Amino acid sequence: MSEVTPKDHSHNSYSRRLFLFLGSMELAITLLLTLAIASVIGTVLQQNQPYADYVIKFGPFWFEVFEQLGLYDVYSSIWFIAILALLVISTSVCVIRHFPAMAKEMWQLRTNVQKKSLKAMHHSAQWQSNATMPSVANDLQHEFKKLGFRSRQTVKQDDAVLISAMRGGMNRLGYLFTHIAIVVICVGGLFDSNMPLKFAEWRGEIKIETRDLSIREIPAESRLAVGSQGFRGSVSIPEGKAAEVVFLPVRDGYLLQALPFRIEVKDFRIEHYPNGQPKSFESDLVIHDDQLAEPFESTIAVNHPLIYRGHSIYQSSFSDGGSSLSIDAWPLDSRAGTEPVSIQTKVFENRQMLWGEETMQLEMTSFRPFNINPDPTEEDERNLRDFGPNFTFKLRTETGEAREYENYMFPVERDGREYFLSGVRNSPAESFAYLYLPVDEDGSLQQFLNYSALLRDEELVSDIANSMMKEALAMLPERDEALEASLQQTLETLITMFVRGGFDEVRDFIDNNLPDAERDNLAPAYLGMLREMLARIYFSMDGITPQTVTNDQLLFLQDSVDTIGTLSRYGSPVFLQLTDFEHVQSTGLQIAKAPGKNVVYFGCALLIIGVFLLFYLPQRRLWAWVEEGAEHTEIILAGSTNRNAREFDTFFNEQQTVLATKTGNSNLEPGS
Amino acid sequence: MTTNTEIMTKPAAHTWWWYALLLLATIGILSVYHEVLDVYEVSILMFTAISMGFVGNHWPGFRGHAIAVAMLSLIALQLYGTNLEAAETNGLLKYMLASQSAIMWMSVFFIAATFTYFGGLIFRSDYTEKVGSVFTWIATTFGMTGLMVRWRETHMMGADIGYIPVSNLYEVFILFAVVTALLYLFYERRYQVRSLGGFVLLVISAAVIFQLWYAFERNAHEIQPLVPALQSYWMKIHVPANFIGYGAFAMAAMIGIAYLLVSWRSEKNPDSGLVKAMPPLTMMDDLMYKSIALGFAFFTVATILGALWAAEAWGGYWSWDPKETWALIVWLNYAAWLHMRMTKGWNGKPMAWWAIVGLFVTLFAFLGVNMFLSGLHSYGSL
């Protein structure tokens, strides 16, 4: 041996200590628990949400801190991967360290045991036999074999042999299998993770795209070519269209992964149970591939993916694929004219609408052919009902503010009367507030529109105000022109205010403009006058007179007034009524390529086998020392186990009796 | 002490009829249902029969239980025919065998068994403790029958609604109670010790009370068709494997509580009645380890089965979904526990405390995730 310099020595011992540290149980247990605690973070904080949401949630300071810590994508953050890597290294070192000893334990029969130590063992017994040493030894070996033990005789001295026996050496394989499995699973998982992408991004080869672009506009540095790497992304394909790319979500952006084939979607279907719950989601796909003689068709469903050329294609979601909608825009106030206008549009289409002086952008956001919701007229909210098709849209003003609307195609019944339903809200966080537009006998909005147009007809309102004023003042002994003009003015103003701001504005007016002393007396009078005016205007319509008015007509008036009274909060100058549609759906496919999958599955199989070997196949050893005595043959039986000592107690006691009876004579001396 | 060491190993000669019966049952099921079972389901059926063969091999109680469940279920099926309304009109169904009634009886007997076991412990009455065991067996049989009959009932709801009733929180609570009780009964016989019964039955009773509240308050017992993501044969193996894990972990924690109680009493007064009535600390320690090892083995299998299913339903074997992640946390926790025990040789009080903490971690994975976190796995929401 050459001389060992002090430096070398310290280096050696340093790496030795590092090796021991990495393979230590303390480190392994610490890592297991650290990993468990670190994993909690990603379940408490929702991962991979839009970054804007995080800013709102945490404020700009903490947003920045958490982003630096990688908390929005914990499971691919550097520190989390580092813990995992350390666990893999620790486990590997552990396996390397223990492998030689384990292999030895697994096969070796421990033949160099001393008589003394056998006697000292916790499980030990001795007895005597009249048979000769070789025959006792052979009998014992035979009995061990029956118990499933592998055994071997070693001649110890001239007059003694040792039989070493073992069963369940595979238990040690359990240790190896479980630990190797962890390494295999983690390595396999690494193939399928987004680590290669992170690495490429870090080297500047790719750039995460965060803008909302069409596929053609996406720059080359955000595109990934067909390769061998694993990925998992999604793409939405409308019926009748095709795609050969898939979007990989990365943090707050995405990358575009090319596919080696083209997926065409022929049809997407949803089937329902009788109670309206969805029963199945299915897509009919056609795969076009240059490698194929001709395209092939396949239908996928949830739990039934298509696997093609290492790519798994899953049914994961669905959405509208640009359904075409025919819409009538009914004017609700003077800005939109007096007649309904027909519009032909599509979901996801934006168009500018000019209403009076005002330009608004109409953005169609979604369409649903049926809406199975709890029936509000039933007490039990589990009674579901189909409310028919609806669509949602946004109206965006020039300043960029948008309100969102949800309109149902068919009238909804409430208390025996029918209404068109339109929900409105100012932000997605709110729930919809619904406007109920009363439907006339013909099932249309015409009469409601006519009535609300009359309220805006200044000449008519003026005439009616005049006649009502005259009737009201008829009993006065003499005319008071000032009073007449004032009353006339008041009646007209009430209607104007009502049309402009509904009951809210009228109430404001009463609260702010009437003298305090008289308000309590005058307020009911004002509201009474308003109601009378509204009724008189209604009776000015064709075929409706106070004498012949039916209860239905009065209820219609009541509904119309209620609706007009809340229109100021509706915010749209028109009501969009869906008259016809052609439903086009888009299927949401998730496409994954996991080259490491089989490696991971192999690891999983190892893990399961290993765990069961480890727990349920204890390694048991038996030794029998057979020695020629002066008169008898002396036998010492000893045993040990590495698991389940309690069961071994019983086993040893039983076998000791059995073996002693079979090979011994009567004077048995039980050991432990 | 039992002399029965060869449990779950070679078939015993005197149980040939048990294997024959299972074979017959398997053939019977196959001949009736072969048209609707796919190859996976047939494999699961065979695997179930073989497992039952092993479990029943040296465990007469299990054989009796399985036969009772089969008989009661068959009677219920016969009484039902194809008419779901029979649950209201037929007396035997209405008061005993319709799934709801059977589950009610299960609840009653589990709670009665809890009191009986503790009564036996307090009054040192072996007889009372034996009654506790009988009650537990009856409850388990009713619970299992309830699940079996419910399975049939789901199929009677409509042509394509039927599913194995382990799909929502209500159903798995029953499964949990039954599995935990069976695991306990197995070790009760194996160790010939009944004084732990009350402790283990406490966690089962808690599950039963929750399940009753859930049914009465939320109408959770009503049968709802399956969402598409759950329509898979994987459910038949993933969920039961998981609940063997959960049940074993729960049992370990309850033994941990008993352990701490006894060790606390024996420090104060080694001759106290409780210390004498309860099994020795080393035995409880051993049972705790056995339980966690069993739970860990099955939980490993269940998590891997879950990953295989996820690969088929969600497009990836691992998505760091909250439920998956919490399964991993549970697994890591018990992996650490087992390392401590097996290689560091820790035992006694710290491990008992750890087993109890483990139950809370498990409980969060089982319930907390569904209640507080959202994810792909949100089937059993409260």
Side-chain angles (χ1 to χ4, degrees):
Chain A
M1 283 291 282
S2 63
E3 276 176 305
V4 177
T5 63
K7 198 184 164 206
D8 263 341
H9 182 78
S10 78
H11 178 74
N12 258 345
S13 86
Y14 180 73
S15 55
R16 177 82 195 142
R17 261 158 54 199
L18 182 69
F19 185 75
L20 287 178
F21 167 72
L22 284 175
S24 71
M25 188 48 57
E26 285 80 4
L27 179 70
I29 292 174
T30 312
L31 285 173
L32 289 175
L33 294 177
T34 312
L35 195 61
I37 293 163
S39 301
V40 174
I41 299 171
T43 67
V44 178
L45 176 61
Q46 274 210 347
Q47 301 286 288
N48 294 310
Q49 300 294 300
Y51 275 24
D53 292 4
Y54 290 127
V55 177
I56 294 167
K57 209 165 171 183
F58 303 120
F61 177 74
W62 288 110
F63 168 78
E64 189 67 31
V65 173
F66 291 167
E67 194 194 358
Q68 289 304 316
L69 291 173
L71 296 194
Y72 307 135
D73 193 6
V74 172
Y75 306 114
S76 51
S77 68
I78 292 298
W79 59 269
F80 191 86
I81 299 297
I83 299 175
L84 261 179
L86 209 52
L87 184 72
V88 170
I89 292 169
S90 158
T91 315
S92 312
V93 170
C94 201
V95 171
I96 294 168
R97 255 184 74 188
H98 292 121
F99 182 77
M102 288 285 171
K104 224 165 126 185
E105 270 291 304
M106 198 152 54
W107 297 113
Q108 283 195 357
L109 284 171
R110 291 207 194 157
T111 49
N112 52 352
V113 191
Q114 300 304 313
K115 183 175 167 187
K116 219 170 20 179
S117 54
L118 288 182
K119 277 188 175 171
M121 283 179 91
H122 179 63
H123 293 97
S124 176
Q126 39 186 304
W127 64 89
Q128 295 164 343
S129 170
N130 292 327
T132 61
M133 181 183 84
S135 95
V136 170
N138 286 336
D139 284 354
L140 280 172
Q141 210 173 2
H142 183 66
E143 290 300 319
F144 284 164
K145 197 178 174 187
K146 278 209 288 190
L147 288 172
F149 279 65
R150 193 158 63 80
S151 65
R152 184 192 299 162
Q153 287 191 29
T154 338
V155 177
K156 279 295 175 187
Q157 305 152 22
D158 290 343
D159 55 352
V161 286
L162 174 72
I163 305 164
S164 310
M166 181 181 76
R167 182 184 170 171
M170 291 294 144
N171 176 277
R172 306 288 170 173
L173 265 190
Y175 163 83
L176 291 175
F177 277 12
T178 47
H179 290 78
I180 292 170
I182 299 303
V183 177
V184 170
I185 290 171
C186 288
V187 171
L190 189 69
F191 285 128
D192 299 341
S193 73
N194 63 358
M195 280 302 112
L197 282 185
K198 284 202 90 155
F199 186 64
E201 190 194 357
W202 175 72
R203 301 213 336 197
E205 287 165 0
I206 53 171
K207 191 169 159 285
I208 310 296
E209 183 56 68
T210 53
R211 294 165 297 172
D212 191 9
L213 300 176
S214 73
I215 290 176
R216 255 176 295 119
E217 295 168 319
I218 295 170
E221 70 253 32
S222 302
R223 289 168 179 266
L224 303 170
V226 173
S228 59
Q229 76 279 11
F231 61 82
R232 202 169 147 188
S234 56
V235 61
S236 176
I237 311 174
E239 290 167 317
K241 298 274 168 46
E244 46 197 338
V245 288
V246 49
F247 293 87
L248 313 184
V250 188
R251 297 197 300 275
D252 60 335
Y254 59 87
L255 291 165
L256 196 68
Q257 167 73 54
L259 295 174
F261 48 85
R262 196 156 58 90
I263 305 168
E264 184 191 336
V265 175
K266 284 182 93 174
D267 191 23
F268 172 77
R269 288 179 303 276
I270 306 178
E271 278 178 52
H272 293 86
Y273 291 112
N275 74 351
Q277 253 178 264
K279 182 171 132 193
S280 75
F281 303 105
E282 288 180 3
S283 298
D284 292 339
L285 307 181
V286 186
I287 305 293
H288 299 269
D289 187 348
D290 295 339
Q291 294 187 359
L292 292 170
E294 57 182 57
F296 77 91
E297 295 191 16
S298 176
T299 299
I300 60 165
V302 179
N303 270 315
H304 300 279
L306 165 70
I307 295 170
Y308 178 66
R309 285 180 69 186
H311 295 71
S312 311
I313 303 169
Y314 301 90
Q315 179 70 60
S316 78
S317 65
F318 65 96
S319 59
D320 197 277
S323 299
S324 41
L325 309 175
S326 305
I327 285 167
D328 281 351
W330 294 84
L332 293 175
D333 63 34
S334 51
R335 282 175 291 173
T338 52
E339 292 302 317
V341 179
S342 291
I343 307 171
Q344 195 61 41
T345 184
K346 275 182 175 169
V347 176
F348 304 130
E349 196 171 79
N350 298 341
R351 56 164 69 198
Q352 303 297 318
M353 309 297 288
L354 182 65
W355 284 309
E357 306 278 278
E358 204 175 356
T359 314
M360 279 185 165
Q361 179 161 274
L362 172 63
E363 305 171 357
M364 308 305 293
T365 49
S366 77
F367 167 76
R368 289 164 64 97
F370 37 78
N371 287 276
I372 295 156
N373 293 327
D375 191 332
T377 62
E378 299 265 352
E379 276 188 10
D380 189 344
E381 62 178 30
R382 278 164 304 149
N383 281 333
L384 301 174
R385 193 171 109 187
D386 185 3
F387 286 81
N390 75 352
F391 66 107
T392 58
F393 59 96
K394 282 182 180 165
L395 278 179
R396 199 177 291 282
T397 62
E398 280 159 339
T399 55
E401 290 160 36
R403 274 193 173 134
E404 192 180 2
Y405 296 86
E406 177 188 68
N407 289 6
Y408 284 83
M409 181 177 190
F410 299 120
V412 172
E413 201 185 283
R414 189 173 71 168
D415 300 335
R417 284 168 278 155
E418 294 200 316
Y419 306 87
F420 278 111
L421 213 55
S422 175
V424 57
R425 65 180 174 190
N426 292 318
S427 80
E430 298 171 17
S431 55
F432 282 108
Y434 285 95
L435 183 73
Y436 284 78
L437 294 159
V439 172
D440 58 29
E441 290 152 347
D442 303 333
S444 100
L445 280 174
Q446 193 60 52
Q447 197 164 13
F448 171 76
L449 268 297
N450 289 348
Y451 177 60
S452 70
L454 291 181
L455 295 185
R456 295 195 299 274
D457 184 338
E458 286 172 20
E459 205 175 316
L460 178 86
V461 171
S462 178
D463 285 351
I464 291 178
N466 190 268
S467 73
M468 182 172 150
M469 175 271 288
K470 289 214 169 105
E471 278 176 38
L473 299 183
M475 65 279 273
L476 286 185
E478 56 191 84
R479 281 185 70 184
D480 179 340
E481 287 192 11
L483 182 62
E484 282 180 10
S486 156
L487 184 55
Q488 165 101 25
Q489 175 69 34
T490 305
L491 293 173
E492 286 177 26
T493 312
L494 279 171
I495 292 296
T496 317
M497 285 191 299
F498 181 71
V499 170
R500 192 172 52 215
F503 287 113
D504 291 348
E505 188 167 335
V506 176
R507 264 186 225 105
D508 279 353
F509 172 79
I510 292 172
D511 287 346
N512 298 327
N513 295 29
L514 294 183
D516 287 346
E518 297 170 52
R519 188 182 302 135
D520 287 350
N521 291 332
L522 284 179
Y526 268 69
L527 289 174
M529 285 191 284
L530 173 61
R531 279 202 200 94
E532 179 66 20
M533 281 294 290
L534 291 168
R536 283 176 184 239
I537 294 169
Y538 183 59
F539 292 133
S540 73
M541 294 175 79
D542 285 341
I544 302 169
T545 64
Q547 291 75 34
T548 61
V549 72
T550 63
N551 197 36
D552 284 350
Q553 286 172 327
L554 284 177
L555 288 171
F556 184 83
L557 169 64
Q558 181 65 49
D559 288 337
S560 303
V561 166
D562 285 348
T563 305
I564 295 166
T566 54
L567 268 184
S568 60
R569 277 179 260 159
Y570 185 60
S572 162
V574 290
F575 168 73
L576 300 185
Q577 188 200 349
L578 182 64
T579 54
D580 197 10
F581 63 84
E582 193 197 338
H583 190 210
V584 179
Q585 300 185 90
S586 179
T587 183
L589 302 180
Q590 182 157 100
I591 300 173
K593 190 172 154 192
K597 192 160 115 174
N598 289 333
V599 177
V600 171
Y601 286 2
F602 171 70
C604 288
L606 270 188
L607 183 60
I608 291 178
I609 298 169
V611 162
F612 279 90
L613 284 180
L614 205 50
F615 292 144
Y616 297 107
L617 187 71
Q619 185 179 27
R620 291 173 171 178
R621 289 180 185 279
L622 288 174
W623 292 272
W625 185 281
V626 186
E627 189 175 323
E628 201 104 49
E631 295 170 28
H632 309 284
T633 305
E634 300 277 344
I635 297 139
I636 303 169
L637 179 76
S640 75
T641 182
N642 73 338
R643 294 265 181 281
N644 300 351
R646 185 169 287 276
E647 279 73 26
F648 189 69
D649 280 346
T650 330
F651 171 79
F652 189 81
N653 289 338
E654 275 177 12
Q655 293 315 318
Q656 167 198 329
T657 320
V658 172
L659 294 175
T661 329
K662 289 202 170 162
T663 62
N665 49 14
S666 49
N667 55 343
L668 174 71
E669 292 173 38
S672 61
Chain B
M1 188 98 334
T2 173
T3 56
N4 185 7
T5 58
E6 295 294 306
I7 207 138
M8 283 200 206
T9 50
K10 276 178 274 175
H14 64 279
T15 53
W16 63 268
W17 61 270
W18 168 242
Y19 287 92
L21 201 63
L22 286 169
L23 184 66
L24 212 64
T26 309
I27 293 169
I29 293 172
L30 282 179
S31 62
V32 176
Y33 294 113
H34 68 274
E35 276 175 7
V36 289
L37 296 178
D38 63 23
V39 55
Y40 303 105
E41 286 161 325
V42 171
S43 319
I44 293 169
L45 176 70
M46 289 176 174
F47 178 76
T48 309
I50 293 167
S51 317
M52 285 177 71
F54 279 127
V55 175
N57 188 27
H58 285 281
W59 189 13
F62 181 78
R63 296 197 291 264
H65 164 77
I67 293 167
V69 169
M71 298 304 286
L72 291 173
S73 308
L74 285 173
I75 292 171
L77 257 59
Q78 197 60 42
L79 293 175
Y80 261 128
T82 53
N83 174 21
L84 201 53
E85 302 298 313
E88 291 303 316
T89 54
N90 183 291
L92 195 57
L93 283 179
K94 188 174 178 186
Y95 295 109
M96 208 172 124
L97 292 180
S99 69
Q100 278 315 293
S101 319
I103 288 161
M104 263 330 131
W105 283 113
M106 173 198 84
S107 309
V108 168
F109 275 102
F110 270 139
I111 289 167
T114 314
F115 283 106
T116 317
Y117 269 127
F118 274 126
L121 182 63
I122 292 164
F123 300 110
R124 300 293 127 68
S125 159
D126 283 349
Y127 177 75
T128 315
E129 282 186 340
K130 273 182 190 158
V131 173
S133 296
V134 172
F135 280 1
T136 310
W137 272 118
I138 296 175
T140 311
T141 304
F142 268 122
M144 205 55 164
T145 307
L147 284 177
M148 289 305 207
V149 176
R150 188 180 171 89
W151 196 349
R152 175 68 193 150
E153 285 168 358
T154 62
H155 282 274
M156 289 160 76
M157 296 285 289
D160 39 17
I161 290 178
Y163 63 87
I164 182 168
V166 291
S167 78
N168 58 38
L169 214 48
Y170 173 78
E171 291 159 349
V172 296
F173 259 91
I174 299 162
L175 182 69
F176 172 80
V178 170
V179 166
T180 312
L182 281 176
L183 290 172
Y184 166 72
L185 288 167
F186 174 77
Y187 283 109
E188 180 182 272
R189 176 169 182 281
R190 186 116 191 243
Y191 283 65
Q192 287 297 302
V193 52
R194 290 201 162 85
S195 43
L196 285 168
F199 291 92
V200 180
L201 263 286
L202 263 186
V203 73
I204 297 179
S205 288
V208 161
I209 288 165
F210 174 85
Q211 175 261 117
L212 288 175
W213 168 84
Y214 200 37
F216 285 124
E217 200 63 26
R218 303 283 181 86
N219 284 320
H221 59 280
E222 288 179 7
I223 293 169
Q224 297 287 337
L226 285 188
V227 298
L230 290 182
Q231 295 165 8
S232 169
Y233 63 89
W234 287 108
M235 190 165 78
K236 293 191 170 89
I237 43 180
H238 169 62
V239 181
N242 236 316
F243 277 83
I244 295 175
Y246 286 154
F249 292 150
M251 187 166 88
M254 298 320 281
I255 295 169
I257 289 174
Y259 183 96
L260 290 174
L261 200 66
V262 172
S263 83
W264 171 71
R265 281 304 297 161
S266 67
E267 274 163 30
K268 294 204 146 185
N269 174 14
D271 297 323
S272 82
L274 182 76
V275 177
K276 283 185 175 158
M278 294 293 288
L281 286 175
T282 50
M283 184 198 274
M284 286 197 269
D285 188 66
D286 187 53
L287 248 176
M288 203 159 66
Y289 157 74
K290 289 265 170 56
S291 225
I292 285 183
L294 178 79
F296 186 77
F298 277 90
F299 196 76
T300 305
V301 173
T303 307
I304 289 170
L305 290 175
L308 295 175
W309 188 1
E312 204 167 292
W314 298 337
Y317 52 81
W318 196 260
S319 314
W320 294 103
D321 165 72
K323 194 84 174 182
E324 282 176 350
T325 310
W326 273 94
L328 176 71
I329 293 166
V330 168
W331 191 88
L332 290 168
N333 177 52
Y334 286 111
W337 193 99
L338 287 164
H339 275 93
M340 274 296 191
R341 162 95 196 195
M342 286 160 75
T343 58
K344 287 264 131 186
W346 280 33
N347 55 22
K349 281 203 272 185
M351 300 311 271
W353 277 113
W354 196 347
I356 295 166
V357 171
L359 178 63
F360 283 97
V361 178
T362 310
L363 200 63
F364 192 84
F366 171 22
L367 275 184
V369 173
N370 299 28
M371 283 160 75
F372 305 117
L373 309 174
S374 63
L376 294 164
H377 212 286
S378 47
Y379 308 121
S381 60
L382 270 176

